[in-house]
């Protein structure tokens, strides 16, 4: 049996944080030495910023160093393979975005089985996207946009961060569910697509709410709809796609924590329990919300089931679109 983590209670008192009870079989060591977090994207990316928030909080709660290692490349594949190359006894964490659930459908000969080789630990937060048009656009509602798109002789277009990016897939999903033809224009980043809408050179884009919000507030863009199932407190007057043109529509860019499937179940549960508590921290909630994120928690099997449903959804989107 692995070493009992004896410092838990003392560390909790030292940092003044409420510890998750670690007793009996669940009191397995999270690991000796520094705990590693792998981020499969470059420093400065939103997922990197999130990982560093949680690294600090986990370090305080665990009483041991938590280091962040960036392993960008191949849409997150490099970082995922790095995790699987680690000794599972080290309990390394991988922070992922929803592109993690896209890779099984877009990467040929995936060198691992997402559902068998990896385990979900906890969903952290999600970011809804917006359907935006130029502030001077004739469209004042998403219904008007859809009606026009259905009758237009030439397909309306949308800009994204590139083929198979999150902001491309939401465009494809919207096209399918609302029943409208949309022409995809890929850019190097979603910021470019938004800039092109602001300039009036393309019709629409589906950026994360935090990116679009300054343009909406400065009257450079109109937000016609939000892609989450519920309205956002940041833009409470903007309706959802679900309540307007496509019942059941739900799309968000999500962020979560993964571990190797070979890591001990007790270690996964301990990390998940800590993340649940961190997600309740007002400081963390405020920092996430300031970046347009909606904190949300799904742990262990519930998160695994969510990942499986997302893989299925993205597979459907990709199989029935260009």
């Amino acid at each position: 049996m692995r070493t009992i983590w004896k410092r838990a209670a003392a560390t909790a008192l030292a940092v003044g944080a409420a510890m998750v009870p670690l007793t009996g079989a669940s009191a397995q060591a999270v690991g000796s030495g520094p705990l590693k977090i792998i981020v499969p994207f470059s420093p400065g990316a939103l997922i990197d910023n999130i990982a560093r928030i949680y690294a600090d909080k986990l370090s305080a709660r665990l009483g041991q160093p938590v280091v962040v290692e960036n392993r960008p490349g191949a849409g997150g594949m490099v970082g995922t393979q790095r995790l699987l190359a680690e000794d599972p006894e080290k309990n390394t964490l991988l922070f992922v975005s929803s592109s993690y659930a896209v890779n099984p459908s877009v990467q040929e000969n995936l060198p691992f089985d997402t559902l068998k080789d990896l385990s979900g630990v906890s969903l952290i937060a999600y970011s809804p996207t917006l359907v935006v048009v130029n502030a001077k656009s004739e469209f004042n509602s998403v219904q008007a946009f859809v009606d026009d798109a259905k009758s237009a002789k030439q397909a309306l277009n949308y800009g994204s961060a590139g083929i198979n990016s999150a902001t491309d897939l939401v465009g494809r999903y919207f096209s399918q569910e609302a029943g409208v033809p949309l022409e995809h224009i890929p850019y190097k980043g979603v910021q470019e697509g938004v800039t092109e809408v602001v300039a009036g050179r393309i019709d629409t884009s589906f950026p994360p709410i935090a990116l679009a919000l300054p343009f909406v507030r400065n009257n450079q863009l109109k937000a016609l709809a939000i892609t989450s199932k519920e309205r956002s407190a940041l833009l409470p007057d903007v309706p959802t796609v679900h309540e307007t043109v496509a019942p059941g529509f739900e799309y968000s860019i999500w962020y979560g924590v993964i571990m190797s499937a070979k890591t001990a179940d007790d270690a996964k549960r301990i990390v998940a329990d800590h993340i649940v508590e961190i997600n309740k921290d007002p400081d963390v909630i405020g920092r996430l919300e300031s970046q347009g994120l909606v904190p949300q928690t799904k742990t262990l099997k519930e998160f695994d089931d969510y990942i499986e449903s997302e893989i299925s959804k993205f597979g459907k989107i990709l199989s029935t679109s260009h």
Side-chain angles (χ1 to χ4, degrees):
M1 178 174 287
R2 301 171 70 197
T3 306
I4 298 296
W5 184 34
K6 297 179 180 179
R7 292 161 48 191
T11 300
L13 293 173
V15 299
M19 288 294 297
V20 175
L22 301 179
T23 58
S26 67
Q28 298 286 345
V30 171
S32 58
L35 184 68
K36 183 188 293 184
I37 289 174
I38 295 174
V39 176
F41 296 96
S42 301
L46 179 55
I47 185 67
D48 178 68
N49 295 338
I50 295 169
R52 292 177 191 278
I53 292 172
Y54 280 76
D56 290 343
K57 297 294 182 178
L58 280 169
S59 179
R61 292 181 65 84
L62 296 173
Q64 65 190 81
V66 178
V67 298
V68 176
E69 177 182 299
N70 294 90
R71 290 281 180 152
M77 293 270 293
V78 172
T80 305
Q81 288 181 277
R82 175 59 181 159
L83 170 70
L84 292 174
E86 290 274 311
D87 179 354
E89 295 273 330
K90 292 183 178 179
N91 304 316
T92 301
L93 311 179
L94 177 71
F95 272 61
V96 297
S97 68
S98 47
S99 62
Y100 171 80
V102 176
N103 283 335
S105 297
V106 300
Q107 299 282 355
E108 293 185 8
N109 303 316
L110 204 64
F112 51 82
D113 187 315
T114 303
L115 297 176
K116 292 181 179 179
D117 296 333
L118 299 137
S119 291
V121 175
S122 181
L123 179 67
I124 287 174
Y126 69 90
S127 172
T129 63
L130 293 174
V131 184
V132 297
V133 295
N134 185 277
K136 297 179 181 178
S137 168
E138 63 183 304
F139 305 123
N140 292 314
S141 70
V142 68
Q143 186 66 63
F145 177 88
V146 167
D147 290 343
D148 188 85
K150 287 180 176 179
S151 62
K153 293 181 179 179
Q154 183 175 349
L156 299 182
N157 53 40
Y158 71 97
S160 82
I163 295 173
N164 296 331
S165 67
T167 48
D168 170 27
L169 294 181
V170 63
R172 298 195 206 184
Y173 187 41
F174 180 85
S175 175
Q176 291 170 17
E177 296 301 304
V180 296
L182 291 175
E183 179 187 352
H184 178 218
I185 302 177
Y187 295 94
K188 292 181 179 179
V190 65
Q191 295 91 337
E192 294 177 60
V194 171
T195 300
E196 291 294 279
V197 178
V198 170
R201 287 188 284 265
I202 64 174
D203 297 308
T204 189
S205 185
F206 299 84
I209 189 170
L211 175 60
L213 198 57
F215 296 99
V216 174
R217 288 177 172 167
N218 290 334
N219 296 316
Q220 294 173 288
L221 291 175
K222 281 191 283 192
L224 301 183
I226 191 166
T227 61
S228 52
K229 206 68 172 286
E230 294 82 28
R231 295 192 183 198
S232 169
L234 295 172
L235 292 169
D237 295 330
V238 176
T240 66
V241 175
H242 160 69
E243 69 184 273
T244 50
V245 297
F249 189 98
E250 182 174 15
Y251 186 99
S252 294
I253 302 168
W254 52 262
Y255 304 90
V257 182
I258 305 297
M259 296 178 82
S260 168
K262 295 180 180 179
T263 296
D265 289 342
D266 284 346
K268 295 174 198 169
R269 186 172 62 252
I270 290 171
V271 174
D273 287 346
H274 278 294
I275 290 175
V276 168
E277 294 305 310
I278 292 170
N279 284 357
K280 298 175 184 176
D281 185 332
D283 174 59
V284 173
I285 292 171
R287 292 167 75 178
L288 293 178
E289 289 180 342
S290 71
Q291 300 183 75
L293 296 168
V294 180
Q296 187 178 70
T297 304
K298 296 180 189 289
T299 61
L300 304 174
K301 185 180 185 304
E302 184 183 15
F303 188 32
D304 274 333
D305 290 344
Y306 179 74
I307 291 169
E308 186 171 4
S309 71
E310 286 288 280
I311 290 173
S312 176
K313 180 170 79 175
F314 288 130
K316 179 182 176 183
I317 293 170
L318 287 158
S319 67
T320 57
S321 60
H322 49 257

